[in-house]
PDB file of all heavy atoms in Angstrom:
ATOM      1  N   ALA A  18       2.175  13.597  -3.413  1.00 98.00           N
ATOM      2  CA  ALA A  18       3.018  12.467  -3.813  1.00 98.00           C
ATOM      3  C   ALA A  18       2.500  11.212  -3.118  1.00 98.00           C
ATOM      4  O   ALA A  18       1.712  11.287  -2.173  1.00 98.00           O
ATOM      5  CB  ALA A  18       4.466  12.732  -3.427  1.00 98.00           C
ATOM      6  N   GLU A  19       2.931  10.070  -3.611  1.00 98.00           N
ATOM      7  CA  GLU A  19       2.648   8.807  -2.936  1.00 98.00           C
ATOM      8  C   GLU A  19       3.966   8.096  -2.713  1.00 98.00           C
ATOM      9  O   GLU A  19       4.886   8.208  -3.534  1.00 98.00           O
ATOM     10  CB  GLU A  19       1.706   7.937  -3.777  1.00 98.00           C
ATOM     11  CG  GLU A  19       0.326   8.545  -3.899  1.00 98.00           C
ATOM     12  CD  GLU A  19      -0.644   7.638  -4.651  1.00 98.00           C
ATOM     13  OE1 GLU A  19      -0.813   6.476  -4.248  1.00 98.00           O
ATOM     14  OE2 GLU A  19      -1.202   8.104  -5.656  1.00 98.00           O
ATOM     15  N   VAL A  20       4.035   7.387  -1.599  1.00 98.00           N
ATOM     16  CA  VAL A  20       5.275   6.676  -1.268  1.00 98.00           C
ATOM     17  C   VAL A  20       4.971   5.193  -1.115  1.00 98.00           C
ATOM     18  O   VAL A  20       4.028   4.805  -0.418  1.00 98.00           O
ATOM     19  CB  VAL A  20       5.907   7.240   0.019  1.00 98.00           C
ATOM     20  CG1 VAL A  20       7.111   6.400   0.442  1.00 98.00           C
ATOM     21  CG2 VAL A  20       6.342   8.684  -0.194  1.00 98.00           C
ATOM     22  N   LEU A  21       5.782   4.395  -1.766  1.00 97.00           N
ATOM     23  CA  LEU A  21       5.622   2.938  -1.772  1.00 97.00           C
ATOM     24  C   LEU A  21       6.898   2.323  -1.216  1.00 97.00           C
ATOM     25  O   LEU A  21       7.985   2.601  -1.716  1.00 97.00           O
ATOM     26  CB  LEU A  21       5.398   2.485  -3.220  1.00 97.00           C
ATOM     27  CG  LEU A  21       5.016   1.045  -3.496  1.00 97.00           C
ATOM     28  CD1 LEU A  21       3.650   0.710  -2.918  1.00 97.00           C
ATOM     29  CD2 LEU A  21       5.003   0.792  -5.013  1.00 97.00           C
ATOM     30  N   GLY A  22       6.737   1.499  -0.171  1.00 95.00           N
ATOM     31  CA  GLY A  22       7.899   0.816   0.412  1.00 95.00           C
ATOM     32  C   GLY A  22       8.455   1.571   1.600  1.00 95.00           C
ATOM     33  O   GLY A  22       8.167   2.757   1.800  1.00 95.00           O
ATOM     34  N   GLU A  23       9.216   0.852   2.421  1.00 90.00           N
ATOM     35  CA  GLU A  23       9.751   1.451   3.653  1.00 90.00           C
ATOM     36  C   GLU A  23      11.226   1.183   3.843  1.00 90.00           C
ATOM     37  O   GLU A  23      11.826   1.627   4.815  1.00 90.00           O
ATOM     38  CB  GLU A  23       8.989   0.893   4.866  1.00 90.00           C
ATOM     39  CG  GLU A  23       7.569   1.432   4.955  1.00 90.00           C
ATOM     40  CD  GLU A  23       6.732   0.691   5.983  1.00 90.00           C
ATOM     41  OE1 GLU A  23       7.230  -0.267   6.595  1.00 90.00           O
ATOM     42  OE2 GLU A  23       5.564   1.076   6.147  1.00 90.00           O
ATOM     43  N   SER A  24      11.805   0.408   2.939  1.00 94.00           N
ATOM     44  CA  SER A  24      13.205   0.052   3.153  1.00 94.00           C
ATOM     45  C   SER A  24      14.025   0.338   1.901  1.00 94.00           C
ATOM     46  O   SER A  24      13.477   0.634   0.842  1.00 94.00           O
ATOM     47  CB  SER A  24      13.314  -1.437   3.508  1.00 94.00           C
ATOM     48  OG  SER A  24      12.786  -2.199   2.442  1.00 94.00           O
ATOM     49  N   GLY A  25      15.335   0.249   2.076  1.00 96.00           N
ATOM     50  CA  GLY A  25      16.234   0.402   0.932  1.00 96.00           C
ATOM     51  C   GLY A  25      16.407   1.843   0.514  1.00 96.00           C
ATOM     52  O   GLY A  25      15.880   2.769   1.146  1.00 96.00           O
ATOM     53  N   PRO A  26      17.164   2.053  -0.551  1.00 98.00           N
ATOM     54  CA  PRO A  26      17.357   3.411  -1.050  1.00 98.00           C
ATOM     55  C   PRO A  26      16.037   4.032  -1.518  1.00 98.00           C
ATOM     56  O   PRO A  26      15.099   3.310  -1.862  1.00 98.00           O
ATOM     57  CB  PRO A  26      18.315   3.232  -2.227  1.00 98.00           C
ATOM     58  CG  PRO A  26      18.418   1.780  -2.482  1.00 98.00           C
ATOM     59  CD  PRO A  26      17.841   1.034  -1.327  1.00 98.00           C
ATOM     60  N   ILE A  27      15.996   5.354  -1.504  1.00 98.00           N
ATOM     61  CA  ILE A  27      14.781   6.071  -1.917  1.00 98.00           C
ATOM     62  C   ILE A  27      14.992   6.619  -3.321  1.00 98.00           C
ATOM     63  O   ILE A  27      16.026   7.218  -3.620  1.00 98.00           O
ATOM     64  CB  ILE A  27      14.460   7.213  -0.926  1.00 98.00           C
ATOM     65  CG1 ILE A  27      14.256   6.643   0.488  1.00 98.00           C
ATOM     66  CG2 ILE A  27      13.219   7.988  -1.382  1.00 98.00           C
ATOM     67  CD1 ILE A  27      14.084   7.715   1.565  1.00 98.00           C
ATOM     68  N   ILE A  28      14.020   6.396  -4.170  1.00 98.00           N
ATOM     69  CA  ILE A  28      14.049   6.937  -5.529  1.00 98.00           C
ATOM     70  C   ILE A  28      12.790   7.790  -5.721  1.00 98.00           C
ATOM     71  O   ILE A  28      11.711   7.415  -5.276  1.00 98.00           O
ATOM     72  CB  ILE A  28      14.168   5.798  -6.574  1.00 98.00           C
ATOM     73  CG1 ILE A  28      13.963   6.308  -7.988  1.00 98.00           C
ATOM     74  CG2 ILE A  28      13.232   4.657  -6.334  1.00 98.00           C
ATOM     75  CD1 ILE A  28      14.235   5.239  -9.042  1.00 98.00           C
ATOM     76  N   HIS A  29      12.974   8.950  -6.341  1.00 98.00           N
ATOM     77  CA  HIS A  29      11.828   9.825  -6.631  1.00 98.00           C
ATOM     78  C   HIS A  29      11.509   9.775  -8.131  1.00 98.00           C
ATOM     79  O   HIS A  29      12.432   9.838  -8.956  1.00 98.00           O
ATOM     80  CB  HIS A  29      12.156  11.279  -6.279  1.00 98.00           C
ATOM     81  CG  HIS A  29      12.223  11.561  -4.812  1.00 98.00           C
ATOM     82  ND1 HIS A  29      12.138  12.836  -4.302  1.00 98.00           N
ATOM     83  CD2 HIS A  29      12.349  10.737  -3.742  1.00 98.00           C
ATOM     84  CE1 HIS A  29      12.219  12.786  -2.976  1.00 98.00           C
ATOM     85  NE2 HIS A  29      12.360  11.518  -2.616  1.00 98.00           N
ATOM     86  N   LEU A  30      10.226   9.717  -8.441  1.00 98.00           N
ATOM     87  CA  LEU A  30       9.765   9.758  -9.834  1.00 98.00           C
ATOM     88  C   LEU A  30       8.821  10.944  -9.998  1.00 98.00           C
ATOM     89  O   LEU A  30       7.801  11.021  -9.309  1.00 98.00           O
ATOM     90  CB  LEU A  30       9.018   8.458 -10.189  1.00 98.00           C
ATOM     91  CG  LEU A  30       9.766   7.136 -10.011  1.00 98.00           C
ATOM     92  CD1 LEU A  30       8.823   5.947 -10.282  1.00 98.00           C
ATOM     93  CD2 LEU A  30      10.971   7.062 -10.938  1.00 98.00           C
ATOM     94  N   TYR A  31       9.170  11.869 -10.866  1.00 98.00           N
ATOM     95  CA  TYR A  31       8.333  13.057 -11.103  1.00 98.00           C
ATOM     96  C   TYR A  31       7.898  13.113 -12.558  1.00 98.00           C
ATOM     97  O   TYR A  31       8.612  12.649 -13.453  1.00 98.00           O
ATOM     98  CB  TYR A  31       9.105  14.364 -10.841  1.00 98.00           C
ATOM     99  CG  TYR A  31       9.835  14.488  -9.531  1.00 98.00           C
ATOM    100  CD1 TYR A  31      11.021  15.225  -9.473  1.00 98.00           C
ATOM    101  CD2 TYR A  31       9.342  13.931  -8.352  1.00 98.00           C
ATOM    102  CE1 TYR A  31      11.717  15.384  -8.278  1.00 98.00           C
ATOM    103  CE2 TYR A  31      10.037  14.094  -7.147  1.00 98.00           C
ATOM    104  CZ  TYR A  31      11.217  14.816  -7.118  1.00 98.00           C
ATOM    105  OH  TYR A  31      11.907  14.987  -5.943  1.00 98.00           O
ATOM    106  N   SER A  32       6.748  13.757 -12.776  1.00 98.00           N
ATOM    107  CA  SER A  32       6.350  14.118 -14.143  1.00 98.00           C
ATOM    108  C   SER A  32       5.487  15.368 -14.070  1.00 98.00           C
ATOM    109  O   SER A  32       5.105  15.806 -12.986  1.00 98.00           O
ATOM    110  CB  SER A  32       5.614  12.962 -14.833  1.00 98.00           C
ATOM    111  OG  SER A  32       4.466  12.568 -14.110  1.00 98.00           O
ATOM    112  N   GLY A  33       5.184  15.939 -15.233  1.00 98.00           N
ATOM    113  CA  GLY A  33       4.317  17.111 -15.265  1.00 98.00           C
ATOM    114  C   GLY A  33       4.957  18.357 -14.675  1.00 98.00           C
ATOM    115  O   GLY A  33       4.246  19.261 -14.221  1.00 98.00           O
ATOM    116  N   VAL A  34       6.271  18.438 -14.671  1.00 98.00           N
ATOM    117  CA  VAL A  34       6.943  19.673 -14.240  1.00 98.00           C
ATOM    118  C   VAL A  34       6.593  20.790 -15.229  1.00 98.00           C
ATOM    119  O   VAL A  34       6.345  21.934 -14.836  1.00 98.00           O
ATOM    120  CB  VAL A  34       8.478  19.458 -14.185  1.00 98.00           C
ATOM    121  CG1 VAL A  34       9.208  20.777 -13.966  1.00 98.00           C
ATOM    122  CG2 VAL A  34       8.835  18.435 -13.115  1.00 98.00           C
ATOM    123  N   HIS A  35       6.566  20.438 -16.504  1.00 98.00           N
ATOM    124  CA  HIS A  35       6.124  21.346 -17.565  1.00 98.00           C
ATOM    125  C   HIS A  35       4.711  20.945 -17.988  1.00 98.00           C
ATOM    126  O   HIS A  35       4.482  19.813 -18.426  1.00 98.00           O
ATOM    127  CB  HIS A  35       7.097  21.287 -18.750  1.00 98.00           C
ATOM    128  CG  HIS A  35       8.441  21.848 -18.410  1.00 98.00           C
ATOM    129  ND1 HIS A  35       9.626  21.297 -18.828  1.00 98.00           N
ATOM    130  CD2 HIS A  35       8.763  22.954 -17.670  1.00 98.00           C
ATOM    131  CE1 HIS A  35      10.633  22.034 -18.360  1.00 98.00           C
ATOM    132  NE2 HIS A  35      10.131  23.043 -17.659  1.00 98.00           N
ATOM    133  N   GLY A  36       3.780  21.887 -17.857  1.00 98.00           N
ATOM    134  CA  GLY A  36       2.371  21.564 -18.072  1.00 98.00           C
ATOM    135  C   GLY A  36       2.008  21.263 -19.516  1.00 98.00           C
ATOM    136  O   GLY A  36       0.933  20.723 -19.789  1.00 98.00           O
ATOM    137  N   ASP A  37       2.883  21.626 -20.446  1.00 97.00           N
ATOM    138  CA  ASP A  37       2.601  21.313 -21.857  1.00 97.00           C
ATOM    139  C   ASP A  37       3.238  19.978 -22.268  1.00 97.00           C
ATOM    140  O   ASP A  37       3.420  19.715 -23.456  1.00 97.00           O
ATOM    141  CB  ASP A  37       3.088  22.450 -22.764  1.00 97.00           C
ATOM    142  CG  ASP A  37       4.582  22.734 -22.627  1.00 97.00           C
ATOM    143  OD1 ASP A  37       5.213  22.169 -21.700  1.00 97.00           O
ATOM    144  OD2 ASP A  37       5.110  23.513 -23.430  1.00 97.00           O
ATOM    145  N   GLU A  38       3.529  19.148 -21.270  1.00 97.00           N
ATOM    146  CA  GLU A  38       4.108  17.825 -21.557  1.00 97.00           C
ATOM    147  C   GLU A  38       3.262  16.737 -20.882  1.00 97.00           C
ATOM    148  O   GLU A  38       3.762  15.947 -20.069  1.00 97.00           O
ATOM    149  CB  GLU A  38       5.570  17.783 -21.070  1.00 97.00           C
ATOM    150  CG  GLU A  38       6.440  18.837 -21.760  1.00 97.00           C
ATOM    151  CD  GLU A  38       7.851  18.946 -21.179  1.00 97.00           C
ATOM    152  OE1 GLU A  38       8.232  18.132 -20.329  1.00 97.00           O
ATOM    153  OE2 GLU A  38       8.567  19.871 -21.612  1.00 97.00           O
ATOM    154  N   PRO A  39       1.950  16.701 -21.210  1.00 96.00           N
ATOM    155  CA  PRO A  39       1.063  15.764 -20.507  1.00 96.00           C
ATOM    156  C   PRO A  39       1.417  14.300 -20.743  1.00 96.00           C
ATOM    157  O   PRO A  39       1.085  13.438 -19.926  1.00 96.00           O
ATOM    158  CB  PRO A  39      -0.330  16.084 -21.087  1.00 96.00           C
ATOM    159  CG  PRO A  39      -0.067  16.735 -22.401  1.00 96.00           C
ATOM    160  CD  PRO A  39       1.226  17.494 -22.231  1.00 96.00           C
ATOM    161  N   GLU A  40       2.145  14.020 -21.832  1.00 95.00           N
ATOM    162  CA  GLU A  40       2.529  12.623 -22.090  1.00 95.00           C
ATOM    163  C   GLU A  40       3.446  12.090 -20.998  1.00 95.00           C
ATOM    164  O   GLU A  40       3.491  10.883 -20.753  1.00 95.00           O
ATOM    165  CB  GLU A  40       3.232  12.502 -23.456  1.00 95.00           C
ATOM    166  CG  GLU A  40       2.364  12.856 -24.650  1.00 95.00           C
ATOM    167  CD  GLU A  40       2.369  14.343 -24.986  1.00 95.00           C
ATOM    168  OE1 GLU A  40       2.925  15.154 -24.192  1.00 95.00           O
ATOM    169  OE2 GLU A  40       1.806  14.713 -26.027  1.00 95.00           O
ATOM    170  N   SER A  41       4.176  13.010 -20.347  1.00 97.00           N
ATOM    171  CA  SER A  41       5.054  12.572 -19.248  1.00 97.00           C
ATOM    172  C   SER A  41       4.211  12.020 -18.097  1.00 97.00           C
ATOM    173  O   SER A  41       4.554  11.011 -17.482  1.00 97.00           O
ATOM    174  CB  SER A  41       5.936  13.733 -18.767  1.00 97.00           C
ATOM    175  OG  SER A  41       5.173  14.748 -18.137  1.00 97.00           O
ATOM    176  N   VAL A  42       3.085  12.685 -17.836  1.00 97.00           N
ATOM    177  CA  VAL A  42       2.195  12.265 -16.747  1.00 97.00           C
ATOM    178  C   VAL A  42       1.508  10.949 -17.112  1.00 97.00           C
ATOM    179  O   VAL A  42       1.408  10.029 -16.290  1.00 97.00           O
ATOM    180  CB  VAL A  42       1.127  13.349 -16.461  1.00 97.00           C
ATOM    181  CG1 VAL A  42       0.225  12.922 -15.305  1.00 97.00           C
ATOM    182  CG2 VAL A  42       1.783  14.688 -16.166  1.00 97.00           C
ATOM    183  N   GLU A  43       1.062  10.883 -18.362  1.00 96.00           N
ATOM    184  CA  GLU A  43       0.410   9.652 -18.832  1.00 96.00           C
ATOM    185  C   GLU A  43       1.337   8.447 -18.662  1.00 96.00           C
ATOM    186  O   GLU A  43       0.930   7.393 -18.184  1.00 96.00           O
ATOM    187  CB  GLU A  43       0.120   9.782 -20.325  1.00 96.00           C
ATOM    188  CG  GLU A  43      -1.330   9.703 -20.709  1.00 96.00           C
ATOM    189  CD  GLU A  43      -1.480  10.189 -22.136  1.00 96.00           C
ATOM    190  OE1 GLU A  43      -1.114   9.433 -23.056  1.00 96.00           O
ATOM    191  OE2 GLU A  43      -1.929  11.343 -22.305  1.00 96.00           O
ATOM    192  N   PHE A  44       2.571   8.640 -19.080  1.00 96.00           N
ATOM    193  CA  PHE A  44       3.526   7.534 -18.998  1.00 96.00           C
ATOM    194  C   PHE A  44       3.779   7.141 -17.548  1.00 96.00           C
ATOM    195  O   PHE A  44       3.692   5.967 -17.175  1.00 96.00           O
ATOM    196  CB  PHE A  44       4.848   7.887 -19.689  1.00 96.00           C
ATOM    197  CG  PHE A  44       5.922   6.881 -19.392  1.00 96.00           C
ATOM    198  CD1 PHE A  44       5.904   5.632 -20.009  1.00 96.00           C
ATOM    199  CD2 PHE A  44       6.899   7.148 -18.451  1.00 96.00           C
ATOM    200  CE1 PHE A  44       6.856   4.669 -19.692  1.00 96.00           C
ATOM    201  CE2 PHE A  44       7.854   6.188 -18.136  1.00 96.00           C
ATOM    202  CZ  PHE A  44       7.832   4.952 -18.758  1.00 96.00           C
ATOM    203  N   LEU A  45       4.092   8.129 -16.712  1.00 98.00           N
ATOM    204  CA  LEU A  45       4.482   7.795 -15.338  1.00 98.00           C
ATOM    205  C   LEU A  45       3.306   7.219 -14.546  1.00 98.00           C
ATOM    206  O   LEU A  45       3.481   6.296 -13.751  1.00 98.00           O
ATOM    207  CB  LEU A  45       5.074   9.018 -14.630  1.00 98.00           C
ATOM    208  CG  LEU A  45       5.811   8.698 -13.330  1.00 98.00           C
ATOM    209  CD1 LEU A  45       6.992   7.764 -13.559  1.00 98.00           C
ATOM    210  CD2 LEU A  45       6.265   9.964 -12.637  1.00 98.00           C
ATOM    211  N   THR A  46       2.112   7.772 -14.790  1.00 98.00           N
ATOM    212  CA  THR A  46       0.922   7.246 -14.115  1.00 98.00           C
ATOM    213  C   THR A  46       0.684   5.797 -14.524  1.00 98.00           C
ATOM    214  O   THR A  46       0.349   4.955 -13.692  1.00 98.00           O
ATOM    215  CB  THR A  46      -0.301   8.116 -14.477  1.00 98.00           C
ATOM    216  OG1 THR A  46       0.004   9.460 -14.121  1.00 98.00           O
ATOM    217  CG2 THR A  46      -1.536   7.691 -13.727  1.00 98.00           C
TER     218      THR A  46
END
Side-chain angles (χ1 to χ4, degrees):
E19 293 184 55
V20 174
L21 188 65
E23 288 169 358
S24 60
I27 301 174
I28 170 173
H29 288 198
L30 303 175
Y31 309 148
S32 58
V34 171
H35 293 140
D37 58 351
E38 300 173 7
E40 296 87 351
S41 67
V42 181
E43 241 166 75
F44 169 75
L45 194 61
T46 304

